[in-house]
């Protein structure tokens, strides 16, 4: 599917054609996005919002156009609910600080899950330390699915926020976020969804989900690094204070004190990444030109095909096998360290990720030193999977 749009996929690595299967870490960029970056800097680069001159007005309209495009993309009620950030980590840190300042007090509890990325653990731990609050996590069942019975037991008057991944970046498994949101909302507890691994692979509709916050990164969805999103329902964003001070986020600054700008600007201190937002807009247009139906069907077929081929191999253990997945598969080969597998695959031009994938608590629960992770983008195809399996079999022969 549209491999030709991604120039980097013509590269060779160690003299072999590149097979890029590390999309959960970051995706490659289509020419349309690369062109957008060049266009921005060569035709209308200028600081936004403050200028009366032509270029500044063009740059401002591109940035605000991107905000509207993101709002439409995730079906937010209004573009005011879209805060541009540096990425998922930045969004979660901003939320942890701002939400924490307004709503977290000594003894309060925040719930995450047992399979979170460190980005959805550490900011909450830091908040809990600051406020003497408690971080709880939903335990996993034997099959690495979330134990929702245990989740019900964790919810109480002390719970002030639930924050969970939509798709596990280690296992690729799609989490029951609808049920989590329903259970939390029954107690009027807001829910943040970490969409870093879902938004690039499926239609995520914040109104249908009814999540209170959604965070994601541009660079995992064919846009550049350094641009991401914090979506929040207006009623929540209005109640929480800014996490950073500076230009843009103010209404008036006096020695006697400062009043803050309206949404979403109160959360965007300093010059924003307006080239990044424009390129993100182009990435969204690129995704929409192919269409979610085609992308989801293609990636589902590829993931199932790869998982099937992996399970046919002697000694290969696929984690979370048989569960519904979104473009990510983790596995190990008996008695072989994942790092060794990754190194031998790299020598054959196949890029995968090995290690704990920034999810040490999950890896500890799994009782392994790490995993080998393959992850797909819309441009991957069955030939990539076949090349990967062939390279893996060669690696396995060399290591056993
Ligand atoms: N959350 C999940 C589920 C992720 O997979 C990642 C990145 O891999 C992050 C958060 C952090 O994203 P970023 O590094 O773009 O801030």
């Amino acid at each position: 599917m549209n491999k030709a749009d991604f120039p980097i996929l013509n590269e060779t690595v160690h003299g072999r054609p590149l097979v890029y299967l590390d999309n959960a870490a970051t995706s490659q960029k289509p020419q349309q996005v690369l062109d957008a970056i060049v266009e921005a800097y060569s035709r209308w680069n200028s600081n936004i919002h403050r200028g009366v001159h032509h270029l500044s007005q063009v740059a401002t309209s591109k940035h605000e156009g991107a905000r509207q495009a993101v709002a439409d993309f995730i079906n937010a009620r209004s573009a005011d609910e879209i805060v541009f950030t540096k990425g998922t980590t930045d969004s979660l840190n901003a939320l942890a600080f701002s939400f924490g300042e307004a709503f977290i007090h000594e003894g309060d509890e925040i719930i995450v899950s047992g399979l979170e990325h460190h980005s959805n653990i550490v900011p909450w731990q830091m908040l809990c330390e600051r406020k003497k609050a408690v971080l709880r996590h939903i335990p996993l069942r034997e099959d690495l699915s979330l134990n929702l019975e245990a989740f019900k037991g964790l919810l109480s008057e002390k719970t002030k926020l639930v924050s969970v991944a939509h798709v596990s970046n280690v296992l690729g498994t799609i989490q029951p976020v609808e049920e989590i949101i329903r259970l939390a909302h029954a107690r009027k507890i807001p829910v943040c969804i970490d969409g870093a691994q879902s938004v690039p692979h499926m239609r995520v509709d914040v109104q249908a989900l009814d999540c209170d916050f959604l965070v994601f990164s541009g660079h995992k969805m064919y846009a550049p690094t350094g641009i991401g999103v914090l979506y929040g329902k207006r009623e929540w964003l209005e109640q929480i204070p800014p996490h950073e001070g500076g230009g843009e986020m103010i209404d008036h600054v006096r020695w006697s004190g400062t009043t803050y700008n309206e949404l979403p600007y109160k959360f965007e201190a300093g010059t924003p990444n307006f080239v990044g937002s424009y390129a993100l807009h182009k990435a969204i247009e690129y995704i929409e030109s192919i269409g979610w139906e085609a992308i989801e069907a293609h990636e589902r077929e590829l993931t199932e095909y790869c998982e099937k081929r992996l399970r046919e191999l002697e000694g290969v253990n696929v984690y979370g096998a048989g569960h519904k997945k979104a473009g990510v598969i983790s596995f190990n080969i008996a008695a072989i360290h994942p790092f060794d597998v990754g190194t031998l695959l790299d020598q054959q031009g196949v890029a995968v990720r090995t290690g704990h994938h920034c999810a040490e608590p999950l890896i500890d629960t799994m009782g392994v030193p790490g995993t080998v992770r393959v992850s797909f983008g819309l441009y991957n195809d069955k030939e990539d999977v076949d090349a990967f399996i062939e390279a893996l079999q060669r690696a396995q022969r060399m290591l056993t």
Side-chain angles (χ1 to χ4, degrees):
M1 193 188 271
N2 303 17
K3 246 181 179 164
D5 288 338
F6 295 79
I8 203 171
L9 299 178
N10 293 320
E11 291 292 308
T12 53
V13 170
H14 305 306
R16 308 289 286 269
L18 168 66
V19 177
Y20 187 77
L21 296 174
D22 192 19
N23 294 280
T26 198
S27 67
Q28 300 303 346
K29 321 303 171 199
Q31 192 62 52
Q32 291 83 337
V33 168
L34 302 175
D35 288 346
I37 298 168
V38 174
E39 179 207 318
Y41 283 119
S42 44
R43 299 204 37 220
W44 47 262
N45 176 52
S46 178
N47 210 334
I48 64 167
H49 290 149
R50 290 175 285 252
V52 288
H53 64 80
H54 175 72
L55 287 190
S56 176
Q57 288 180 10
V58 173
T60 304
S61 78
K62 302 282 189 198
H63 188 61
E64 294 309 323
R67 197 188 304 280
Q68 185 61 53
V70 171
D72 295 342
F73 184 62
I74 59 170
N75 194 29
R77 272 182 206 85
S78 147
D80 299 347
E81 297 179 317
I82 306 299
V83 176
F84 283 121
T85 65
K86 289 186 283 187
T88 307
T89 305
D90 193 34
S91 300
L92 285 166
N93 277 281
L95 182 63
F97 183 85
S98 298
F99 188 90
E101 283 303 290
F103 291 112
I104 302 297
H105 303 98
E106 186 168 347
D108 285 345
E109 296 184 359
I110 295 162
I111 301 177
V112 296
S113 89
L115 45 68
E116 299 305 319
H117 188 282
H118 296 161
S119 295
N120 198 25
I121 299 174
V122 184
W124 305 117
Q125 283 180 328
M126 291 162 73
L127 167 63
C128 287
E129 210 164 294
R130 210 169 70 240
K131 296 281 183 169
K132 298 192 175 60
V134 180
L135 184 63
R136 304 225 174 264
H137 67 270
I138 309 169
L140 303 180
R141 296 198 190 90
E142 196 68 359
D143 67 353
L144 302 176
S145 64
L146 294 186
N147 185 337
L148 291 188
E149 279 310 307
F151 174 57
K152 285 182 207 164
L154 288 175
L155 290 167
S156 76
E157 289 84 73
K158 291 186 197 158
T159 314
K160 292 297 179 300
L161 182 79
V162 176
S163 187
V164 288
H166 197 171
V167 168
S168 160
N169 69 305
V170 176
L171 306 167
T173 44
I174 302 171
Q175 302 307 315
V177 290
E178 293 84 356
E179 181 66 358
I180 288 171
I181 292 168
R182 197 183 62 74
L183 290 168
H185 281 183
R187 288 174 166 270
K188 299 200 171 14
I189 300 163
V191 180
C192 170
I193 300 297
D194 176 351
Q197 298 296 345
S198 61
V199 175
H201 298 287
M202 60 180 77
R203 187 189 297 285
V204 176
D205 178 330
V206 290
Q207 289 191 64
L209 270 181
D210 199 25
C211 57
D212 301 276
F213 303 98
L214 172 76
V215 294
F216 56 98
S217 299
H219 72 96
K220 294 182 196 286
M221 51 177 288
Y222 316 109
T225 49
I227 187 78
V229 172
L230 164 61
Y231 155 83
K233 280 183 185 165
R234 174 190 287 280
E235 54 266 40
W236 285 112
L237 292 182
E238 274 173 348
Q239 289 183 74
I240 63 179
H243 60 297
E244 285 177 337
E248 287 292 327
M249 52 75 72
I250 53 95
D251 174 26
H252 286 293
V253 179
R254 302 277 183 272
W255 291 121
S256 53
T258 290
T259 49
Y260 301 134
N261 206 339
E262 60 193 13
L263 287 180
Y265 308 109
K266 81 171 179 184
F267 294 108
E268 293 182 1
T271 301
N273 183 1
F274 54 86
V275 177
S277 65
Y278 180 62
L280 175 61
H281 186 173
K282 292 293 157 187
I284 288 173
E285 283 178 356
Y286 186 81
I287 289 171
E288 284 175 341
S289 73
I290 300 169
W292 275 127
E293 214 172 304
I295 294 171
E296 288 182 40
H298 173 72
E299 292 185 357
R300 190 178 324 116
E301 195 187 338
L302 210 54
T303 310
E304 284 170 9
Y305 176 66
C306 184
E307 189 163 305
K308 176 176 158 291
R309 292 225 48 197
L310 273 171
R311 289 169 76 178
E312 284 165 4
L313 302 181
E314 189 91 15
V316 171
N317 184 14
V318 177
Y319 299 105
H323 287 272
K324 230 175 135 208
K325 292 186 179 177
V328 177
I329 302 172
S330 255
F331 67 96
N332 270 316
I333 305 181
I336 303 177
H337 198 282
F339 182 79
D340 296 334
V341 179
T343 306
L344 286 181
L345 288 175
D346 173 60
Q347 284 169 12
Q348 301 174 76
V350 180
V352 300
R353 190 145 293 244
T354 63
H356 56 55
H357 315 295
C358 295
E360 279 191 291
L362 169 59
I363 294 292
D364 284 349
T365 305
M366 291 162 70
V368 292
T371 74
V372 185
R373 182 184 73 181
V374 289
S375 53
F376 302 109
L378 55 80
Y379 37 71
N380 289 121
D381 53 24
K382 282 193 174 168
E383 284 84 78
D384 291 336
V385 174
D386 292 340
F388 154 66
I389 294 286
E390 205 178 296
L392 185 66
Q393 285 176 303
R394 203 169 298 129
Q396 198 172 11
R397 280 196 298 274
M398 289 166 80
L399 290 164
T400 48

